[in-house]
Amino acid sequence: MRSLHSILLVDDDETTNFLNKFFVKQLDPDLEVEIAVNGQEALNYLENLSPDHAGGMIVLDINMPVVNGWEFLNAFESKFPEETHQKWVIVMLTAINSEEAISKALAHPRVTDTAQKPLSDLKFRALINKHF
């Protein structure tokens, strides 16, 4: 089983990012947590990582300005090699508990899991334990 070294939070809501980072740091103060406020910032972050970066978890909101979650996924798939794809667990965030949204997200080949907003320390713990 892989170990978790970093989390990339991708959401345009500053409060959500602040709380999510707080929850993650409560679980593991040594975990690297980065924030991107849209999909383009997340893509830029990933492009600038060294090739030996271990990867981790991307917590990706669906609805964002500039580049939304779906656009990010398509760009991630086309811009990065399979080796990079394998390094990241992508969790798609949904604001509503809709079977349609969850099914669409899980149908994407790069989405590993979904989670409903708001997240909490318990939800993060469950996601980390499930995938790492």
Side-chain angles (χ1 to χ4, degrees), residues 110-124:
R110 297 297 160 220
V111 175
T112 308
D113 207 343
T114 63
Q116 186 177 355
K117 286 182 176 184
L119 292 177
S120 66
D121 55 344
L122 294 175
K123 287 182 183 179
F124 269 111

Side-chain angles (χ1 to χ4, degrees), residues 52-92:
D52 61 337
H53 189 277
M57 182 186 297
I58 298 172
V59 180
L60 179 66
D61 189 25
I62 293 174
N63 296 313
M64 296 176 289
V66 185
V67 172
N68 68 32
W70 303 117
E71 294 164 334
F72 168 86
L73 289 170
N74 293 334
F76 179 74
E77 192 163 46
S78 65
K79 284 186 172 192
F80 297 97
E82 184 63 28
E83 176 183 291
T84 302
H85 299 160
Q86 296 303 317
K87 291 180 179 182
W88 294 96
V89 168
I90 299 179
V91 177
M92 198 84 161

Side-chain angles (χ1 to χ4, degrees), residues 15-57:
T15 303
T16 297
N17 286 328
F18 175 83
L19 291 172
N20 287 344
K21 185 172 184 175
F22 174 79
F23 291 140
V24 170
K25 288 296 195 175
Q26 289 292 102
L27 296 172
D28 184 351
D30 297 326
L31 197 59
E32 175 189 329
V33 180
E34 297 296 328
I35 293 174
V37 297
N38 60 59
Q40 186 59 57
E41 281 190 14
L43 291 167
N44 293 346
Y45 169 78
L46 294 170
E47 287 172 347
N48 290 316
L49 287 176
S50 69
D52 61 337
H53 189 277
M57 182 186 297

Side-chain angles (χ1 to χ4, degrees), residues 3 93 103-104 106 128:
S3 60
L93 290 180
S103 295
K104 181 179 178 183
L106 291 175
I128 291 168

